[in-house]
Amino acid sequence: MSKARSTAASSEATLTASGIARLADVGRAAVSNWRRRYADFPAPVGGTPASPLFDAGEVEAWLRRHGRLHQAGTAHWAWRLIESYQPATQISDVLSVAGALLLVRAAQAEPEGDSLPTPKQLVDHLRALNPALAKLIGDVLPQQWTPQLATLLQTVDQFGSEQGREAAFEHLHNQYVTSAYSLSGLAGTPDAVADVMLALAGSGPRVFDFASGTGSILRMAADRALRNGTAIRCYAQEINPQYATITLLRLWFVHLRARQAGHDAEPPVVHVGDSLLADGLPDLRAEVVVANFPFGIHDWGHDRLAYDPRWTYGLPPRTEPELAWVQHAMAHLSPAGTAVVLMPPAAASRPAGRRIRAELIRHGALRAVVALPAGMMPPTGIGLHIWVLTQPDRGQPHTGEVLMVDATTASDSRPLSQIVGSVRSAFRAGQYAELPGAHRAVPAIDMLDDQVDLTPQRHLPQADDLVTSPAQVLSRIADFDRLLDQMRRALPAVRETSTAPLREAPQADVAGLIKSGSITVHRAVSRSRSTSAAAGTAALTVTDILSGGPATGSVARLATDPPGPQVRADDILIPAIGNAISARVATAEQIGAEIGPGTQLLRVDTARFDPWFVAGAISRTENLRIAGRSSSTTNSVLRIDVRRLGIPVLPLDQQRVYGQAFRQLVEFRNALEQAAVTGTALAREIGDSLVAGALGIESPHPTRTA
C-alpha cells in the first residue's frame, strides 16, 4: 500500500518509491484542518496521532473530488525537490550539481540513454569541457548518488528533456534567486537592472564582473553578444564559491551555444575569492566592467590596503567601501573602456566620500549618474543609482560635463534600458539635448562645491512650462464640483425602521452551500516565477477588485502549468488577505480575466442568490471577527475565509432590493476615493499655477458692516 506521511517539513506526498510526487500542499496543518472540517476525509492507516500516515491513493481521490488537486508539471517538481533537499545548507550545491548534469547532457552529441552518469562520470564529462568547472563541481559531489539526490537529478533530467537544458537551468536559477536560499537578493541582479547597466556600458571583446553573484549581468551580456553575432569573453570573480559555480555554469551554457553555432569564442573565466583583498585577475584590462557589489561592508580591508596602487583618486575612508569598489573597477578598465556600477544613493552625498567624488569629476572619470526607480532591486525598496565611469586620457582634455539622469520620471512607453541608453548615446556622440526634469549635462564646475553631491534630482530643475494649463485647471475645478454633486446623490435612500429583516432572517451556512453546489469558491493557481515562462492571461490584483477596474496584473506560466480560474459575469471577487472583507461583483471590464495572487472568487447560483446581496452581506464589519484568521506574513492583516460565514435567507426579490443598495454603497465608496485622489491632484495643480503666476486670486467680496 502506498502511503503519504503528513509532515511540516514537506508540502508534497510521495506516491511511489521512485519519488514521483503528485500531491501538492498536503502539509500537517492542511491535513489537520481537512480532517476537522470534512467528515469524508480519509482516515489514517497508520503512524501516530501526532504524525499519522494516510493512503496516498485515497487522499488523491479526495483532493480530486473536492477540486484541490494541483496537477503540477515537471518544472514544479524539479524545483520543489531542490527546495526541500536536506540538509538545507546544501541547496546551492545541489542546484550546481543539477546544472552540471544539464550542461553535460546539452554538450553530448548523442544521448547516452536515460540512466544517470555516476558522480565520477559526471566529473569526467565536465573536465573535457572545462577543468575549472570540473574542480568546482567535484568538490561538492558525493562518492555515489543518494536515493534523494538520484530522484532529484532524474526529475531535473526529465525537465531538461522537455524544456531544453539551458532553459531548465535558467528556470531553476530564477526560482533560487527569488527564494530565501539566496541570502535576500545578493545572488542575482534583476533582468531589468542588468539591461539598463549593459545599455550604458556598451559592448567590447572583454567583459568583467568582479562581484558576479550568480552571473546575471554577464550571462545577459554573453547572450546579447551571441545574438548580435559578436565575440566576447566573460571574466568574473565572486567571493561565494556556490555563486561562482552557478555563474560559470550559466556562462558555459551560452558558450556552448556559441560553439555549436560555429563561433570561435573563448571560454568564460571565473575566479573564487575576495576581489579587493585577493584580486584574481590583476592584469586584466577589460573594455566593459560591470558590477552589483554588496553595500555597506565596513570590514573591507581598509587597514591592509592603505597603500594599494588602485587608489588613484584617494584612499577610500573606512566608511566608504563603495568608493573602493569604484576604484577597483577603474583599475580593470582598458584605455577606452567603460565601467558601470550599481551604487546606494547615499554614496552620492556622504561627507566622507566628498574628496574622492571631486577627484573623479576633476579628472573626467565620472561620466554619468542615473537614478533608478524605487523597487527595481528587491528586497530593497529604495531607488539605487548607477555610476558610469571611463578611464580618462591624461593627454586629452575631457568634456567637463557629467550626464545626470532621473529615470524615476520616465513616462516613455519604451523599456527603461532604451530610454537611458539613447540619452547616453546622444551624450557621447555630441548630439545631446536636455530634457528638463529628466536629464541634463551638468558642467563639472557646477558640481565641485563644498558638498560634491552627485544626486541627479539635485541637478535637474523642473521644466518652466506648467504641465497643466490654466484653462485645464479651471475646467477640472468645474468637473470636481460635478463629481461632488454626484456623490451627494449616490447614497441609497434609507429610513429608520422598527423591524430588522436581515438580522431576523434564518442564516444559511456558506460551507454548507458549497457542499450543496449552490456556491463555489475558487483561488488563484500557484504559478512558476521563471522569467522564461510565457505570458498568460491578464490577472486581477487586489487593487483591481477594490476599484472595479480592468486587470492590471498578469500571470506567467510554463506550458505544463494549468490555467487558473477566470472571471464570469456575476462572480463575487474578494481579496484573500486584508483588514476588512471587501467583496465586489465583477464588472464588465473584469470578465474573462484570471484571478491573481491574493484573490479569491465566489460563484453563486443566480437562481437562488443575488450576487450584490451576497457581496454586501458578507462584507459587514462583524464578519471579520468570524472569517478573519491571523496571516503568517504579517500581524497587521487577516486571512479571509468566507466559508465560515452565514448568509441571510430571503426571497430573491427582496435580495435584489438590498443588493441594489449594497451596489450603490460600493459605487459611493469608489466615487469618494476618486474624489480624494482628484481633489489632491487639483490642489497641487492650483498651488503650482498660483506660484507660477498662471492663476490669480479673485478679490474677496467686501465684508458688510452694520
Side-chain angles (χ1 to χ4, degrees):
M1 178 181 294
S2 101
K3 297 176 181 179
R5 178 183 287 274
S6 167
T7 67
S10 173
S11 59
E12 65 266 3
T14 302
L15 296 185
T16 68
S18 65
I20 301 174
R22 289 188 293 147
L23 298 182
D25 303 323
V26 184
R28 176 177 297 161
V31 168
S32 176
N33 184 42
W34 292 336
R35 291 179 65 194
R36 183 174 63 253
R37 299 183 59 204
Y38 296 96
D40 62 339
F41 190 82
V45 295
T48 66
S51 185
L53 291 171
F54 297 88
D55 184 286
E58 293 180 1
V59 174
E60 181 181 5
W62 186 89
L63 290 172
R64 183 176 287 107
R65 190 165 61 250
H66 287 263
R68 298 178 181 274
L69 185 60
H70 174 50
Q71 299 290 350
T74 312
H76 173 85
W77 292 117
W79 169 244
R80 292 297 289 272
L81 290 171
I82 292 175
E83 184 183 36
S84 60
Y85 187 84
Q86 296 297 324
T89 54
Q90 297 179 8
I91 287 176
S92 301
D93 293 333
V94 168
L95 177 64
S96 297
V97 173
L101 174 64
L102 292 169
L103 180 65
V104 166
R105 295 296 202 204
Q108 291 173 342
E110 294 292 335
E112 296 184 357
D114 296 332
S115 61
L116 284 176
T118 65
K120 183 180 183 304
Q121 290 171 333
L122 182 61
V123 172
D124 290 341
H125 284 304
L126 290 172
R127 189 174 294 111
L129 289 175
N130 184 268
L133 184 55
K135 174 68 169 61
L136 289 171
I137 296 296
D139 289 344
V140 300
L141 282 180
Q143 293 295 320
Q144 59 183 8
W145 306 127
T146 63
Q148 181 187 15
L149 192 52
T151 298
L152 183 154
L153 293 177
Q154 287 168 351
T155 306
V156 169
D157 200 16
Q158 179 183 348
F159 180 34
S161 299
E162 294 173 358
Q163 300 289 337
R165 271 76 184 196
E166 184 179 0
F169 187 58
E170 283 300 301
H171 170 79
L172 296 176
H173 166 265
N174 291 335
Q175 296 285 0
Y176 171 76
V177 297
T178 55
S179 71
Y181 304 106
S182 62
L183 301 182
S184 301
L186 293 178
T189 302
D191 286 351
V193 177
D195 198 21
V196 173
M197 295 177 70
L198 291 173
L200 292 166
S203 60
R206 289 165 296 188
V207 182
F208 179 38
D209 186 343
F210 53 82
S212 67
T214 56
S216 298
I217 306 176
L218 284 180
R219 186 196 176 275
M220 179 176 285
D223 183 67
R224 182 175 297 177
L226 179 58
R227 286 187 278 109
N228 293 337
T230 57
I232 69 168
R233 190 176 196 186
C234 292
Y235 297 83
Q237 183 161 349
E238 169 56 44
I239 194 171
N240 185 310
Q242 290 83 11
Y243 292 176
T245 304
I246 296 172
T247 293
L248 191 54
L249 283 166
R250 298 180 74 197
L251 293 177
W252 253 96
F253 273 110
V254 181
H255 178 68
L256 188 61
R257 270 194 286 132
R259 283 174 39 175
Q260 292 171 344
H263 294 279
D264 185 18
E266 294 289 334
V269 176
V270 178
H271 282 268
V272 179
D274 189 315
S275 293
L276 289 179
L277 294 175
D279 191 350
L281 297 159
D283 299 325
L284 174 65
R285 300 295 179 267
E287 287 74 21
V288 174
V289 177
V290 289
N292 171 18
F293 43 73
F295 304 150
I297 300 178
H298 292 172
D299 185 19
W300 54 271
H302 175 270
D303 296 336
R304 286 169 284 179
L305 300 172
Y307 300 102
D308 196 285
R310 288 172 291 186
W311 312 145
T312 305
Y313 302 94
L315 172 64
R318 187 188 303 276
T319 58
E320 293 286 341
E322 292 82 15
L323 295 181
W325 290 116
V326 165
Q327 294 190 76
H328 177 74
M330 297 286 294
H332 281 283
L333 272 183
S334 67
T338 301
V340 176
V341 295
L342 205 60
M343 298 286 285
S349 58
R350 284 191 297 243
R354 178 176 54 228
R355 184 171 61 86
I356 293 179
R357 295 196 300 269
E359 289 300 306
L360 291 170
I361 294 172
R362 285 193 185 99
H363 290 89
L366 183 67
R367 306 303 301 128
V369 179
V370 178
L372 295 177
M376 289 190 70
M377 275 294 297
T380 178
I382 61 175
L384 300 181
H385 289 179
I386 295 176
W387 288 17
V388 181
L389 306 111
T390 59
Q391 195 67 268
D393 187 348
R394 302 288 181 172
Q396 297 291 331
H398 58 83
T399 59
E401 292 180 328
V402 178
L403 179 64
M404 290 287 170
V405 181
D406 182 8
T408 65
T409 64
S411 58
D412 198 320
S413 59
R414 294 176 299 164
L416 192 60
S417 59
Q418 292 185 17
I419 298 172
V420 174
S422 61
V423 173
R424 165 75 171 147
S425 298
F427 177 72
R428 296 179 66 181
Q431 301 174 344
Y432 171 74
E434 175 185 344
L435 180 60
H439 49 80
R440 176 189 173 210
V442 182
I445 192 64
D446 292 349
M447 306 180 70
L448 295 173
D449 54 18
D450 57 347
Q451 295 181 352
V452 196
D453 192 337
L454 305 182
T455 305
Q457 289 86 346
R458 177 177 178 181
H459 302 279
L460 295 173
Q462 297 301 309
D464 293 333
D465 295 334
L466 288 170
V467 175
T468 308
S469 69
Q472 289 175 315
V473 174
L474 295 175
S475 175
R476 290 180 185 180
I477 292 175
D479 292 340
F480 188 64
D481 284 339
R482 284 191 290 271
L483 177 61
L484 293 178
D485 188 53
Q486 291 172 5
M487 283 178 52
R488 295 187 189 98
R489 299 190 301 269
L491 285 170
V494 295
R495 58 179 174 81
E496 187 176 355
T497 178
S498 58
T499 61
L502 293 186
R503 189 174 61 200
E504 296 171 357
Q507 301 287 309
D509 182 66
V510 173
L513 293 172
I514 293 173
K515 289 183 178 180
S516 69
S518 299
I519 293 179
T520 56
V521 177
H522 303 269
R523 292 180 176 83
V525 174
S526 177
R527 292 291 178 211
S528 303
R529 288 182 290 182
S530 167
T531 55
S532 61
T537 56
L540 288 170
T541 65
V542 171
T543 302
D544 300 332
I545 291 176
L546 298 180
S547 69
T552 59
S554 63
V555 293
R557 62 164 65 91
L558 295 170
T560 53
D561 285 339
Q566 292 188 333
V567 178
R568 301 177 187 171
D570 295 324
D571 280 351
I572 303 170
L573 305 172
I574 312 166
I577 295 177
N579 50 23
I581 302 176
S582 304
R584 302 285 190 270
V585 177
T587 62
E589 297 172 307
Q590 296 171 337
I591 295 173
E594 188 170 316
I595 58 174
T599 65
Q600 52 189 333
L601 182 155
L602 205 66
R603 186 167 290 155
V604 301
D605 180 358
T606 54
R608 297 182 57 188
F609 296 103
D610 177 75
W612 275 110
F613 171 76
V614 174
I618 65 177
S619 295
R620 67 184 186 271
T621 304
E622 178 189 359
N623 278 344
L624 189 64
R625 175 181 57 81
I626 302 171
R629 295 177 298 161
S630 295
S631 170
S632 60
T633 58
T634 175
N635 294 327
S636 62
V637 296
L638 298 175
R639 187 174 296 277
I640 309 301
D641 185 359
V642 295
R643 294 171 299 182
R644 298 183 173 196
L645 300 176
I647 299 175
V649 177
L650 292 176
L652 187 58
D653 57 344
Q654 292 185 31
Q655 289 185 41
R656 287 171 178 160
V657 173
Y658 280 101
Q660 177 61 28
F662 289 139
R663 181 171 188 169
Q664 286 180 265
L665 287 174
V666 169
E667 292 172 351
F668 175 76
R669 291 192 192 100
N670 291 340
L672 194 62
E673 292 174 0
Q674 181 186 352
V677 173
T678 304
T680 300
L682 183 59
R684 184 176 60 252
E685 291 172 355
I686 294 173
D688 290 345
S689 299
L690 288 171
V691 172
L695 290 178
I697 301 294
E698 289 188 2
S699 300
H701 297 292
T703 303
R704 292 186 178 181
T705 59

